[in-house]
Amino acid sequence: SAVISQKPSRDICQRGTSLTIQCQVDSQVTMMFWYRQQPGQSLTLIATANQGSEATYESGFVIDKFPISRPNLTFSTLTVSNMSPEDSSIYLCSVDPQGRGSYGYTFGSGTRLTVV
Amino acid sequence: RKEVEQDPGPFNVPEGATVAFNCTYSNSASQSFFWYRQDCRKEPKLLMSVYSSGNEDGRFTAQLNRASQYISLLIRDSKLSDSATYLCVVNTGRRALTFGSGTRLQVQP
């Protein structure tokens, strides 16, 4: 399975600022997925990042708030913009190493964001 | 209605007990099914895939009933180290995964 390096592991940010989260995969993958896990909740998909095209956002998430870059098949970033305390969550990236949707997906270790 | 529904628990069981978790999903076109385990403050990790024929991995057995849109996980001879949140996860064919809210298990000595 793929190994994902996610940075930063945690951060405390002032409201109104932005934070960029990076995920580096040790193999080429077609799609990378970004999830949010709010305190005490399960994972919610933010968007799917495709190399060479714009990310696909889920209902309730917009590009202005969560811009995503996918410059190549091993790297992606998610930016949380103009942060408010409601953005305090764990953000995780994920990949489908087999590219078939039928096997287990791998997750980064997560970024624990606190907005004050 | 949520796409994937689980009993949040917590399930408090003694060591050595057998415990079962259930999950239902709403999209009949769902194609792949998984159980993930998430420890406190950690990322989810794949526990096992779930097949219609059922599958077993040591003390863990997973079952899928497509007709009832129902998934189960059975843990036998519970260990303290099994304490975690167990996430029922479905791939509806969109390539991204849909997660249940998780069932918390606490195994007590």
Side-chain angles (χ1 to χ4, degrees):
Chain A
S1 63
V3 176
I4 303 176
S5 173
Q6 184 171 345
K7 297 178 182 179
S9 59
R10 59 177 61 233
D11 208 340
I12 301 173
C13 300
Q14 295 289 326
R15 66 179 68 198
T17 63
S18 297
L19 175 72
T20 295
I21 302 166
Q22 300 179 2
C23 274
Q24 178 76 50
V25 191
D26 69 346
S27 58
Q28 294 185 339
V29 291
T30 306
M31 293 183 179
M32 291 181 74
F33 307 97
W34 287 97
Y35 288 85
R36 180 174 74 181
Q37 187 171 28
Q38 294 179 301
Q41 304 294 315
S42 191
L43 282 75
T44 300
L45 181 66
I46 298 172
T48 301
N50 306 301
Q51 196 269 332
S53 63
E54 281 198 5
T56 305
Y57 288 83
E58 297 299 301
S59 176
F61 298 96
V62 296
I63 187 171
D64 290 346
K65 176 67 176 176
F66 297 101
I68 287 171
S69 79
R70 184 81 201 275
N72 57 54
L73 292 173
T74 63
F75 187 79
S76 179
T77 68
L78 170 77
T79 298
V80 186
S81 304
N82 188 25
M83 287 184 284
S84 66
E86 292 71 34
D87 294 320
S88 297
S89 285
I90 300 172
Y91 292 86
L92 299 117
C93 61
S94 176
V95 300
D96 172 14
Q98 303 290 337
R100 302 177 194 175
S102 303
Y103 300 92
Y105 290 41
T106 303
F107 284 82
S109 54
T111 296
R112 184 177 296 273
L113 171 62
T114 302
V115 184
V116 296
Chain B
R1 182 184 173 189
K2 291 182 181 178
E3 286 193 72
V4 182
E5 298 211 48
Q6 293 181 251
D7 180 345
F11 284 57
N12 296 302
V13 302
E15 272 187 289
T18 295
V19 61
F21 304 140
N22 303 318
C23 166
T24 58
Y25 60 95
S26 61
N27 189 333
S28 59
S30 298
Q31 299 176 355
S32 307
F33 308 88
F34 311 94
W35 282 101
Y36 274 72
R37 170 189 170 133
Q38 186 172 29
D39 293 286
C40 187
R41 295 178 175 268
K42 298 287 188 181
E43 73 275 21
K45 292 188 178 175
L46 178 66
L47 179 65
M48 58 198 308
S49 300
V50 189
Y51 306 112
S52 296
S53 56
N55 49 310
E56 185 174 320
D57 182 3
R59 297 181 294 109
F60 299 84
T61 301
Q63 294 276 353
L64 166 65
N65 185 321
R66 285 189 182 269
S68 302
Q69 296 180 200
Y70 172 94
I71 305 164
S72 66
L73 176 68
L74 183 75
I75 305 176
R76 291 181 298 277
D77 188 23
S78 299
K79 311 291 185 190
L80 294 175
S81 57
D82 294 334
S83 298
T85 296
Y86 290 82
L87 301 164
C88 178
V89 184
V90 173
N91 185 328
T92 60
R94 296 170 56 241
R95 300 297 300 279
L97 300 177
T98 302
F99 285 78
S101 56
T103 299
R104 194 152 62 89
L105 171 66
Q106 184 66 49
V107 181
Q108 296 165 336

